[in-house]
Amino acid sequence: MQYQNKILLLSFAASVALSLIVVPILRKLKVGQIEREEGPQSHLKKQGTPTMGGIIMIIVLIVVGAFIYMDFAIDQQDVAKAMLPLIGVAVGFGLIGFADDFKKLFFKNTKGLSPKAKMLGLLIVAVAYTIVLTKVFNLGTEIYIPFLKEYFTLPIWIYIPFAVLVMLGTTNAINLTDGIDGLSTSVTTIIITCLTVISVLLGIKEVTAVGTILIGACLGFLLFNLHPAKVMMGDTGSLMLGGAIAGIALYLKMPLLLVIIAIIPIIETISVMVQVAYYKKTGNRIFKMAPIHHHFELSGWKENKIVSVFSLITLVFCIVGLLAI
């Protein structure tokens, strides 16, 4: 636990220090948020706020991860090697988000990568990670069933598309949650903390190390991301965090647990699906705006209230998730 605390403090300090350096650079480069015209009118004042801040968390993950890797490599080489795919999947998704943000910001449009190109990139990373887990690290295809507290083994030909679907769905859900200051960072920090606690209970050191680095990086970034945000994470951060959550859950053999602990991102996703389907069928809207955090925002809730309530809900469901294992 003492070693874990050191990792947390190191990654937190690195995140804060890097934010103090990177945010002014992003501002100087005029890498600013481009708000959608159809979005909430109150968000137009955020136009120009530095974005792509997720690069801060990616750098912290790589740099601090390298230090921890070298430390483990001395006498726990298996743990050190097992950290690599966990870091790799997060960075891989993050780089796709970076490419999307880069195209949005430097070509001054809100479309970014084409849906096909973005999906292809995410698919490649997801498939590669799944193959590494099953074929290189031989982790098997067991899936833990919450509450029943049993493992169910899937055939490999079912497990691979299932795992890929989990990763693509999770990254999309976290991406949709990133709509107001501090929301996605707060919610994902709690989810990653829950998964890290599980890894501590199970004694899976590589997940504990990577999870702790991510928690520290998120907490440091959150100081600059809370309302009024000085920097946005962009797709660089949301896809990285989504990839990290899905990657860790699959490594722990607990992707079904995400149905519980990632309840807010799931609700955000469902709200968009319901809104689109209902509008196409009737021409009317169920919510004032989707994802659902915008509905509450347009209903008069302040951004900080939405973040607080959604974070509290996530915390409660994470406790339920811990009781389910």
Side-chain angles (χ1 to χ4, degrees):
M1 184 62 72
Q2 186 177 5
Y3 187 71
Q4 185 178 338
N5 290 338
K6 290 180 180 179
I7 297 175
L8 180 64
L9 291 174
L10 177 61
S11 57
F12 174 78
S15 183
V16 172
L18 199 58
S19 295
L20 291 172
I21 296 171
V22 172
V23 173
I25 293 176
L26 293 175
R27 189 178 294 112
K28 186 175 182 180
L29 292 174
K30 296 182 179 179
V31 182
Q33 179 80 357
I34 301 175
E35 292 294 337
R36 297 178 296 117
E37 292 181 3
E38 64 271 23
Q41 293 301 301
S42 61
H43 285 208
L44 294 178
K45 63 184 179 182
K46 298 182 182 183
Q47 190 90 3
T49 301
T51 188
M52 289 179 72
I55 193 66
I56 295 168
M57 292 182 282
I58 291 178
I59 294 173
V60 171
L61 178 59
I62 293 174
V63 173
V64 178
F67 278 110
I68 306 305
Y69 173 88
M70 290 186 290
D71 191 30
F72 277 130
I74 297 173
D75 56 4
Q76 300 183 64
Q77 293 184 3
D78 290 342
V79 175
K81 291 179 180 178
M83 289 177 60
L84 297 179
L86 291 166
I87 294 174
V89 69
V91 173
F93 278 112
L95 290 178
I96 295 168
F98 177 84
D100 191 37
D101 284 336
F102 186 87
K103 188 173 181 180
K104 287 178 185 176
L105 298 166
F106 287 89
F107 289 89
K108 301 301 179 184
N109 67 75
T110 59
K111 295 181 180 180
L113 293 176
S114 69
K116 289 183 178 179
K118 191 173 183 179
M119 182 57 67
L120 178 61
L122 295 173
L123 190 61
I124 291 172
V125 176
V127 172
Y129 180 72
T130 305
I131 292 175
V132 167
L133 289 191
T134 55
K135 300 298 183 180
V136 178
F137 286 86
N138 299 312
L139 289 183
T141 60
E142 297 84 11
I143 300 295
Y144 187 80
I145 304 176
F147 295 111
L148 294 182
K149 302 185 178 181
E150 295 179 355
Y151 287 92
F152 178 77
T153 302
L154 292 175
I156 187 68
W157 57 274
I158 293 179
Y159 178 82
I160 291 179
F162 169 75
V164 170
L165 184 63
V166 168
M167 284 188 275
L168 296 182
T170 304
T171 52
N172 181 66
I174 298 300
N175 186 249
L176 289 174
T177 307
D178 183 32
I180 60 177
D181 297 352
L183 179 59
S184 186
T185 312
S186 300
V187 168
T188 54
T189 301
I190 296 170
I191 295 171
I192 293 173
T193 300
C194 179
L195 292 170
T196 304
V197 169
I198 293 172
S199 72
V200 172
L201 296 174
L202 297 178
I204 305 177
K205 294 182 179 179
E206 56 269 31
V207 174
T208 301
V210 174
T212 304
I213 295 170
L214 287 167
I215 294 168
C218 286
L219 290 175
F221 180 78
L222 191 58
L223 294 179
F224 299 83
N225 186 230
L226 285 174
H227 184 71
K230 297 179 178 63
V231 64
M232 309 285 192
M233 69 167 66
D235 281 6
T236 306
S238 61
L239 294 187
M240 185 276 283
L241 291 175
I245 289 171
I248 291 174
L250 287 167
Y251 195 96
L252 292 173
K253 303 181 184 294
M254 295 185 180
L256 295 182
L257 191 67
L258 293 179
V259 176
I260 302 172
I261 66 176
I263 187 65
I264 288 298
I266 289 174
I267 291 174
E268 296 273 23
T269 303
I270 292 174
S271 71
V272 173
M273 295 169 63
V274 170
Q275 183 88 324
V276 172
Y278 190 76
Y279 184 79
K280 286 183 177 180
K281 186 175 182 179
T282 68
N284 297 314
R285 294 178 172 84
I286 294 178
F287 307 108
K288 294 180 179 180
M289 187 176 289
I292 199 169
H293 57 258
H294 287 321
H295 171 80
F296 288 108
E297 191 176 7
L298 294 178
S299 297
W301 286 31
K302 300 297 184 182
E303 290 191 42
N304 285 338
K305 180 178 179 179
I306 297 172
V307 173
S308 298
V309 172
F310 281 30
S311 296
L312 182 59
I313 292 172
T314 301
L315 178 60
V316 171
F317 275 83
C318 280
I319 293 173
V320 173
L322 290 172
L323 296 175
I325 65 173

